[in-house]
Amino acid sequence: MKYVTLNNGLKMPILGLGVYQIWDLQQCEDTVATAIKHGYRLIDTAEVYLNEEAVGRGIKKSGVDRSELFITTKVW
């Protein structure tokens, strides 16, 4: 995995999972959990996607500590 170093010194992965147009909430939850289990550490979401709660459940389901993840979002 390639990373970019942020101004605060943290390294953020340059490849992430986008959840745009995953309308089925169970599929979204499962996809996020599976992606994290397979090494993804960056999840991109937005309020307008209407699946942020499913993303949260997927994160919890993955068993990976939240402090190890980068979650990006956009305000509509």
Side-chain angles (χ1 to χ4, degrees), residues 31-44:
T31 299
V32 169
T34 300
I36 293 170
K37 287 178 184 177
H38 286 282
Y40 280 79
R41 293 297 181 262
L42 170 62
I43 308 296
D44 178 64

Side-chain angles (χ1 to χ4, degrees), residues 5-73:
T5 302
L6 303 176
N7 289 337
N8 63 2
L10 291 176
K11 290 189 176 186
M12 183 178 79
I14 61 170
L15 178 65
L17 173 71
V19 296
Y20 178 57
Q21 293 186 334
I22 305 179
W23 307 120
D24 181 293
L25 299 181
Q26 186 61 56
Q27 181 183 17
C28 182
E29 178 181 328
D30 294 342
T31 299
V32 169
T34 300
I36 293 170
K37 287 178 184 177
H38 286 282
Y40 280 79
R41 293 297 181 262
L42 170 62
I43 308 296
D44 178 64
T45 187
E47 181 181 8
V48 71
Y49 301 170
L50 302 176
N51 59 13
E52 287 181 306
E53 289 183 20
V55 169
R57 288 192 303 272
I59 291 168
K60 186 173 183 178
K61 182 190 267 187
S62 77
V64 172
D65 191 78
R66 172 62 181 87
S67 66
E68 296 182 35
L69 304 173
F70 285 87
I71 310 300
T72 59
T73 190

